[in-house]
Amino acid sequence: MKKILIVEDNEINLKLIRTVLKAKGFLLAEARDGEEALKIAVAERPDIILIDIQIPKADGLEVTRWIRAMDDLKDRQIIAITAHAMEGDRKKFLEAGCDGYISKPINTRTFIDEIEAILIQKAERMKNAG
Ligand code: MN
């Protein structure tokens, strides 16, 4: 079973995401700020990182860039979670190294499907890139 690191500083969102993923049987790790996210990513080596963009100490895009620069973690799936996705944000997230993003508020009924759709899109992009 895949391990997912949830990085989220809002306890209500964290609980929502934890509940949805736990019900699906994923192994979970959690962090509440940018520094902790990096530390836990190194220690736990998650397959997927769900990262809130607005977190204390370092924003989600900064943490994503750090992870992409690490040899043993750069190939992980990283999905941004954001409350204020605006025109151009998708490009900004992808350029930082995110594989896609999910908009808040979290929809618990579609959350898993949204993650899967992003991973499928990434696989297709990589296949097309040869
Ligand atoms: Mn936040």
Side-chain angles (χ1 to χ4, degrees), residues 120-130:
I120 289 167
Q121 281 166 17
K122 180 191 184 184
E124 281 168 3
R125 274 202 309 275
M126 293 182 77
K127 199 171 68 186
N128 292 335

Side-chain angles (χ1 to χ4, degrees), residues 24-84:
K24 287 282 175 183
F26 288 106
L27 301 170
L28 301 180
E30 296 176 3
R32 288 169 174 78
D33 65 56
E35 284 175 15
E36 195 183 27
L38 197 62
K39 201 163 26 171
I40 306 271
V42 169
E44 296 283 337
R45 311 181 53 74
D47 302 287
I48 301 170
I49 299 166
L50 300 176
I51 188 157
D52 179 22
I53 294 300
Q54 290 179 296
I55 46 175
K57 295 187 183 175
D59 78 31
L61 295 183
E62 204 172 353
V63 174
T64 298
R65 288 188 204 102
W66 290 341
I67 290 170
R68 290 300 186 215
M70 299 172 77
D71 270 346
D72 55 339
L73 288 178
K74 67 183 177 199
D75 296 329
R76 306 295 142 146
Q77 320 282 1
I78 305 178
I79 297 173
I81 298 176
T82 179
H84 306 290

